[in-house]
């Protein structure tokens, strides 16, 4: 053996060693993973052969390219999930690829096991990049499980509760009296029972009368324009401080809104509790929360009336169902967020259909389909996430219940990561939007 | 394969073990696809049978997999323990059907397996060190490595040192004869005052119980919280709790280390939800189960579907006749323990086939 062969052999031996569990031995606390298991898993009837993260940009300048996860198996069954994280597409694609070793070659049926392993063995646990990657993989695994078992996902979860499907809402996208009157007429015609809207402008730490009046007037106009029968949610989008949010929530109490969403940013539960305590307007939040752990304090401290986790961030079907279970024990309703692509949207409907405490499902679309909705229909062959008589119909096929191909997506190639909107106050300082 | 099956009929059968006199109700749900599902309710009172019967008009004709609609129906009604037990049995039966429809074990329908075997424990029978020792030997020979020691209710509340030291001596002797690889759970059966419980919990800190089980009656939840708040001995609680809201309060109060929902009062789905709550408090689930073999199967599927399962108790009757009845009823070697662990049932569904002759032979009324 010459010197070169010796070195190659040596490095191969080192590499083989490193692939064993002892590779973590750089840390004194590294466990002997192999020794911990005594016994074996049943032989899998199906194995994962490949996992892809596919970026899709509907327009070249999109700040929220979709990230779809496709998992292939040795039985020909293919599962789809969505890991879209607005403004961070590249990071999520990388994070999905980082989980390759957790999934490829494994039994796709063990979805809770894989969820735990991805979350716990990442050591740092939560965070939106990790949460979104796990979400996409989790949805794709549920899609596969359903197809293997011959059941739609909602049936595996004990649904459907309502045969008509899942009640939903569109975004109002109407502000003037004329626009609102037209919207109300369309809603009556189409059977839509609920809308959501934002509040105008950006907000300083404390606001004076002019800004407060402008926001209250906008909300009042919505109620007057849409009438008593239609439910209205208002999204503050965390652009208000607790001080401003409290004033606004109190001012609009007589409007009996369905909820006010994200009245302040999500990190400080006590701050949101302070708003919630001082108003009877129901408070909703949750789209930025990752894993069921992040909802515990909101529930425990009686902060929220409605939780709105996003199936593409919270940890997929597995985590959304758990948040629903936790909320149910406290009488909190579920109104999941959905503002990304059609895969996550359709996945959410399955969980919604099986939650006794489900209230209403969002879709970030207007009452009339536009470009985005037409592309979705072109991909999936049916008007995905469009309501009939105010309800999203449930898929009847096994798994998530749709067919999607890479070829269909190829028309909208990934155009790279773009940041989300960046807004600034008059003095140049950073503002929330 | 059809993806909808409708319920056509259901029936409830109370059975009784010949020697232990332990009773439980087995519920069978039949469907238009020819498949039948089976479940088990805690207790065997006429009230449980009546509660199952009362749900029949709602259930017949309904989609057998729409499990949440059934629970909602029960949730909208009063009914206490009997209704809870009926709901539990129907939940198991409908999941059994869903699994059979999918030709898969229930744990696979629910996203498992999360493990390939389940750690086991059993309650010792008898009172006094000699009887308990013999029971421990039998349990050890049957493969168990974790023992639940029943604590005889003290004659008076607020016992002194004699009581506390007596319990400690009893446990020390059992550990001496059992060997170092045996773990213990002390089951106070809800019979102590919170004051007695916390003294005992402190005395047993150095004994390292797996947990102190149901130390006091469920008078109020802060009383339970006080016990675990004053000692490092883990506390398990919840056999009489009927709602996940109450489990949530126990967790919120940092009152417990092991959640003990009764399988025969909740069924699989509700305990999965309680487990989701417990997971966020880093608390384990070890379902309470003193019933029959169908509930054992339900427990094992549950164990293999949740991440925070810790241990499953399984009754091990002392009498041969009772053990024979359990295996005759379920016609599957469900309750075989090896080196302290139970195997997962294979399915489809719960993996249990009810034996009609045995139902008749062991009928309770």
């Amino acid at each position: 053996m010459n010197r070169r062969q010796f070195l190659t052999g040596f490095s191969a031996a080192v590499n083989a060693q490193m692939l064993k569990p002892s590779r973590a031995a750089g840390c004194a606390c590294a466990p002997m993973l192999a020794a911990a298991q005594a016994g074996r898993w049943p032989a899998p009837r199906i194995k994962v052969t490949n996992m892809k993260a596919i970026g899709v940009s509907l327009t070249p300048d999109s700040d929220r390219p979709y990230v779809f996860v496709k998992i292939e198996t040795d039985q020909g069954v293919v599962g789809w999930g969505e890991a879209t994280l607005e403004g961070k597409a590249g990071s999520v694609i990388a994070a999905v690829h980082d989980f390759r070793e957790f999934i490829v070659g494994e039994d796709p049926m063990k979805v809770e096991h894989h969820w735990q392993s991805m979350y716990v063995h990442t050591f740092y646990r939560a965070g939106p990049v990790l949460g979104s990657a796990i979400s996409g993989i989790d949805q794709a695994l549920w899609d596969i499980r359903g197809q293997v078992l011959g059941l739609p996902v909602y049936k595996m979860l004990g649904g459907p509760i309502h045969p008509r499907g899942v009640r939903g809402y569109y975004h109002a996208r109407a502000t003037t009296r004329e626009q609102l009157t037209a919207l109300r007429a369309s809603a009556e015609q189409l059977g839509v029972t609920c809308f959501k809207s934002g509040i105008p402008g950006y907000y300083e730490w404390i606001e004076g009368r002019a800004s407060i009046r402008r926001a209250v007037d906008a909300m009042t106009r919505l109620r007057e324009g849409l009438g008593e029968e239609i439910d209205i949610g208002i999204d503050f989008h965390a652009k208000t401080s607790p001080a401003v949010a409290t004033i606004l929530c109190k001012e609009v109490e007589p409007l009996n809104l369905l909820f006010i969403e994200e009245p302040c940013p999500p990190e400080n539960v006590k701050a949101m509790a302070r708003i919630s305590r001082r108003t009877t307007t129901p408070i909703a939040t949750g789209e930025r929360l990752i894993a069921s752990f992040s909802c515990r304090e909101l529930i425990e401290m009686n902060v929220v009336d409605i939780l709105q986790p996003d199936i593409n961030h919270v940890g997929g079907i597995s985590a959304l169902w758990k948040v629903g279970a936790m909320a149910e024990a406290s009488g909190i309703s579920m109104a999941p967020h959905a503002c990304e692509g059609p895969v996550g949207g359709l996945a959410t409907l399955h969980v919604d259909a099986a939650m006794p405490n489900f209230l209403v499902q969002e879709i970030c679309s207007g009452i009339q389909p536009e470009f985005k909705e037409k592309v979705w229909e072109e991909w999936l062959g049916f008007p995905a996430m469009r309501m009939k008589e105010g309800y999203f119909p449930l898929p009847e096929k096994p798994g998530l219940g749709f067919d999607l191909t890479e070829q269909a997506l190829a028309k909208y190639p990934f155009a790279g990561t773009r940041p989300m909107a960046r807004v600034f106050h008059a003095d140049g300082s950073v503002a929330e939007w | 394969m059809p993806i909808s099956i409708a319920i056509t009929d259901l029936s409830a059968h109370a059975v009784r073990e010949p020697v232990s006199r332990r009773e439980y109700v087995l519920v069978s749900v039949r469907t238009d696809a020819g498949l039948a599902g089976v479940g088990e309710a805690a207790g065997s009172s006429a009230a449980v049978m009546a509660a199952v019967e009362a749900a029949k008009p709602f259930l017949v004709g309904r989609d057998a997999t729409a499990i949440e609609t059934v629970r909602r129906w029960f949730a909208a009604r009063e009914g206490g323990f009997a209704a809870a037990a009926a709901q539990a049995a129907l939940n198991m039966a409908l999941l059994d059907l869903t699994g059979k429809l999918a030709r898969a074990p229930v744990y696979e329908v629910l996203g498992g397996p999360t493990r390939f075997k389940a750690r086991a424990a059993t309650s010792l029978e008898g009172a006094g060190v000699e009887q308990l020792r013999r029971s421990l030997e039998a349990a050890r020979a049957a493969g168990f490595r974790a023992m639940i020691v029943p604590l005889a209710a003290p004659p008076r509340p607020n016992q002194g040192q004699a009581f506390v030291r007596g319990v400690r001596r009893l446990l020390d002797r059992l550990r001496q004869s059992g060997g170092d690889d045996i773990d213990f759970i002390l089951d106070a059966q809800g019979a102590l005052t919170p004051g007695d419980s916390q003294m005992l919990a402190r005395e047993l800190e150095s004994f390292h119980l797996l947990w102190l089980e149901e130390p006091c009656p469920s008078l109020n939840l802060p009383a339970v919280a006080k016990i675990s708040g004053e000692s490092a001995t883990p506390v398990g609680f919840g056999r009489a709790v009927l709602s996940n809201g109450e489990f949530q309060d126990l967790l919120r109060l940092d009152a417990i280390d092991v959640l003990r929902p009764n399988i025969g009062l909740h069924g699989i789905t509700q305990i999965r939800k309680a487990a989701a709550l417990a997971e966020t408090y880093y608390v384990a689930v070890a379902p309470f189960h003193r019933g029959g073999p169908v509930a054992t199967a339900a427990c094992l599927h549950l164990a293999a579907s949740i991440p925070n399962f810790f241990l499953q108790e399984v009754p091990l009757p002392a009498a041969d006749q009772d053990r024979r009845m359990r295996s005759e009823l379920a016609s599957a070697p469900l309750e075989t323990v090896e080196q302290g662990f139970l195997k997962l049932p294979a399915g489809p569904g719960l993996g249990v086939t009810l034996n009609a002759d045995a139902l008749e032979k062991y009928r309770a009324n």
Side-chain angles (χ1 to χ4, degrees), chain B:
Chain B
M1 183 192 293
I3 59 168
S4 269
I5 47 175
I7 298 168
T8 51
D9 195 14
L10 58 136
S11 54
H13 314 265
V15 290
R16 184 188 297 129
E17 293 180 5
V19 178
S20 73
R21 315 300 286 171
R22 189 199 320 268
E23 294 184 1
Y24 27 91
V25 174
L26 300 175
V27 174
S28 175
V29 176
R30 285 174 289 285
T31 64
D32 59 0
L35 297 173
V38 57
E40 180 184 316
S44 76
S45 63
V48 174
M49 308 273 282
V52 173
E53 199 58 34
K56 197 165 157 178
F58 173 78
L59 284 161
V60 170
R62 196 156 288 271
D63 178 359
T65 58
I67 286 165
E68 286 291 348
T69 61
V70 179
R71 208 191 56 75
R72 263 163 61 111
W73 184 84
F74 276 99
R77 277 155 190 81
E78 294 290 327
F81 276 79
Q87 189 282 135
L90 288 165
N91 177 264
M92 293 176 211
L94 298 188
L95 279 171
D96 186 23
L97 281 165
T98 309
K100 284 172 174 163
L101 183 64
R103 301 193 184 101
V106 166
Y107 64 72
E108 209 170 61
V109 173
L110 301 175
T114 50
R115 64 201 73 247
F116 47 74
K117 57 184 181 178
R119 192 172 175 187
T122 196
S123 283
L124 303 184
E125 293 184 359
V129 71
E130 281 320 310
Q131 283 183 10
L132 289 168
R133 243 184 206 158
R134 276 198 296 279
S135 180
L136 189 154
E137 277 316 308
R140 195 191 165 93
F144 288 96
R145 297 290 179 271
M147 313 295 171
I148 303 171
V149 180
L151 179 65
R156 302 179 307 279
N158 297 90
Q159 303 287 300
Q161 192 168 51
F163 167 70
V164 171
R165 292 277 171 88
V167 173
R168 176 66 193 242
R169 271 197 301 277
L170 172 76
L171 287 170
D172 283 338
R173 283 193 194 161
L174 289 175
R175 174 161 279 162
Q176 251 170 11
S177 59
D180 278 345
D181 61 340
I182 301 290
D183 285 310
F184 291 93
I185 296 148
L186 181 64
D187 183 359
Q189 307 183 82
L192 301 178
T193 60
D196 281 332
S197 306
Q198 68 217 26
M199 276 208 294
L200 196 56
R202 199 212 71 78
E203 171 65 29
L204 296 175
E205 280 176 352
S206 62
F207 183 82
H208 299 300
L209 289 170
L210 289 183
W211 73 81
L212 174 60
E213 162 74 4
E214 201 81 3
C216 62
S218 53
L219 301 168
N220 63 46
L221 303 182
V224 186
K226 186 164 180 288
I227 298 162
S228 64
E230 294 183 7
S231 147
T233 296
V235 170
F237 196 82
R239 64 177 66 172
V241 169
L242 292 182
S243 81
N244 279 350
E246 204 169 328
F247 284 132
Q248 192 169 37
D249 277 342
L250 281 165
L251 293 161
R252 198 191 303 245
L253 291 165
D254 300 321
I256 51 168
D257 304 281
V258 185
L259 196 72
R260 296 277 286 147
N262 187 334
I263 185 73
L265 292 177
H266 296 266
I268 295 171
T269 304
Q270 283 308 97
I271 300 183
R272 278 172 51 74
K273 292 183 183 182
L277 283 165
E279 189 185 351
T280 64
Y281 291 83
Y282 316 126
V283 164
V285 178
F288 178 89
H289 166 37
R290 307 254 163 110
V294 173
T296 302
C299 285
L300 291 172
H301 287 278
L302 172 64
S305 81
I306 57 174
N308 50 337
F309 165 81
F310 175 49
L311 177 152
Q312 184 55 56
E313 66 170 319
V314 182
L316 177 69
D320 285 345
Q321 300 101 297
D322 293 350
R323 290 203 295 275
R324 200 175 314 126
M325 166 181 158
R326 296 176 77 93
S327 57
E328 277 176 35
L329 265 182
S331 56
L334 278 169
E335 298 182 328
T336 308
V337 178
E338 272 174 39
Q339 297 290 323
F341 286 86
L342 288 144
K343 280 194 192 125
L344 301 186
L350 292 175
V352 175
T353 308
L354 266 196
N355 177 340
D357 294 342
L359 279 183
E360 192 51 39
K361 181 172 161 190
Y362 297 105
R363 204 165 78 171
N365 44 21

